[in-house]
Amino acid sequence: MNIVLIDDEITYHSTLSLCSLVNGYNLMAFLSPKEGLQYIFANSENIDIILLDLMMPEIDGIEVLKRLKNNNSTANIPVIIQTGIANPNATNQCMALGAKACITKPYFPKIITEAIQNIKIN
């Protein structure tokens, strides 16, 4: 399974690297939303899941999600939102835009692994 992570917090890159190693996932991780989007648009046919942070400095996660869901080549890639702020309005907006799940940080690796497995099954 090929997973892309876009998160400006390096801590979550380490957490997802560990999850990927344990579960046999291929992980491409980006601190920059712009770089992550460029990679996704260039490699959309090889991406199974996108893990996306909401609060980032260049482009926020909601805008990234909109760009992904408004592009024919990326619209069907499942997106899991990760956020450090439990904000029901933002969560509802992300789900309405097409996110498959929202996870509140900090989380244990087991939580993100379960979210990935749930998407993989469905």
Side-chain angles (χ1 to χ4, degrees), residues 9 11-12 15 83-85 103-109 111:
E9 294 180 60
T11 303
Y12 292 97
T15 300
T83 181
I85 298 175
I103 298 172
T104 302
K105 296 177 184 177
Y107 54 75
F108 292 103
I111 300 296

Side-chain angles (χ1 to χ4, degrees), residues 38-70:
Q38 288 174 344
Y39 177 85
I40 292 167
F41 290 137
N43 297 282
S44 60
E45 67 281 350
N46 297 319
I47 299 170
D48 298 304
I49 294 177
I50 298 168
L51 303 173
L52 178 61
D53 185 25
L54 273 188
M55 296 176 50
M56 295 181 286
E58 295 176 318
I59 307 169
D60 69 29
I62 291 175
E63 180 59 30
V64 172
L65 182 60
K66 286 178 183 176
R67 292 181 189 186
L68 291 169
K69 295 304 176 182
N70 288 324

Side-chain angles (χ1 to χ4, degrees), residues 4 40 48-54 61 64-66 68-69 74-82 94-95 97-102 119:
V4 173
I40 292 167
D48 298 304
I49 294 177
I50 298 168
L51 303 173
L52 178 61
D53 185 25
L54 273 188
V64 172
L65 182 60
K66 286 178 183 176
L68 291 169
K69 295 304 176 182
T74 59
N76 293 320
I77 301 172
V79 177
I80 298 173
I81 299 295
Q82 309 177 128
C94 290
M95 298 304 283
L97 288 169
K100 295 293 183 186
C102 291
I119 288 174

